[in-house]
Amino acid sequence: LKVKWTLVICIFCYSTYIAAQFYPEFYTLLPTAFILGMGAAPMWSAKCTYLTQVAHRFAGLDGSDPEPVVVKFFGIFFFFFQCNSIIGNIISTSVLSSGKTEVYTELSDAAMARCGSAYCPAQLAVSSNITLD
C-alpha cells in the first residue's frame, strides 16, 4: 500500500470504533477497539512518512535544506494535535457545566451510589424518592 491509501484504510479502522460508541456494549466496543488498535500503528507510521515526503517536496520547491522543513511540519502537526485536546476539554467543560447551577454539598450514601459510573436513568425512574427533571 502507498502512504495515502494506508491513511484512508486506517481511518476506516477508527470509524468502526466511533460508530460503536453509538451503541456502547461489551460486544461492540471490544472488537472495534481491537480493529482500532490494528489500524493505529500503520496510521501513525504513514502519517510520519507522509509528512516527511511532503516536507522534502516543499524543501525541493523552496530550494532549502529539507531537515528544518521536516521539523517545522512535525511541529505544526503536533501543535494542532495537542490543541485538539485543549479545545475538546474546553467544549466538554462548557457543555457539562451548563444547566443547573445548584451545588449539592450533602448527598446521602444512597444518592452517591447512583452517581458516576453507577448512573442509570432507568433505575432512577423506578425509584420513588428521586424525580427526574
Side-chain angles (χ1 to χ4, degrees):
L1 286 176
K2 295 209 177 206
V3 176
K4 288 183 188 178
W5 284 109
T6 303
L7 288 171
V8 169
I9 291 169
C10 292
I11 289 196
F12 284 119
C13 293
Y14 271 77
S15 299
T16 60
Y17 187 71
I18 293 168
Q21 297 296 321
F22 289 106
Y23 190 70
E25 294 293 332
F26 188 76
Y27 56 87
T28 60
L29 292 178
L30 282 182
T32 56
F34 179 77
I35 293 169
L36 179 135
M38 295 300 286
M43 186 190 78
W44 281 94
S45 299
K47 181 267 313 170
C48 291
T49 304
Y50 184 72
L51 276 178
T52 304
Q53 288 175 351
V54 169
H56 277 270
R57 283 188 188 165
F58 183 79
L61 292 172
D62 196 33
S64 60
D65 186 34
E67 200 61 34
V69 177
V70 170
V71 171
K72 183 199 290 186
F73 276 36
F74 272 91
I76 292 169
F77 172 81
F78 281 108
F79 169 77
F80 285 110
F81 181 73
Q82 294 299 326
C83 283
N84 186 19
S85 67
I86 294 169
I87 293 169
N89 285 327
I90 290 171
I91 292 170
S92 296
T93 301
S94 64
V95 167
L96 294 175
S97 65
S98 66
K100 293 185 178 182
T101 57
E102 299 174 19
V103 177
Y104 298 103
T105 56
E106 295 194 23
L107 291 174
S108 67
D109 289 338
M112 289 296 286
R114 294 187 198 107
C115 291
S117 64
Y119 176 72
C120 179
Q123 291 174 347
L124 291 176
V126 172
S127 178
S128 61
N129 61 352
I130 297 177
T131 58
L132 298 174
D133 293 328

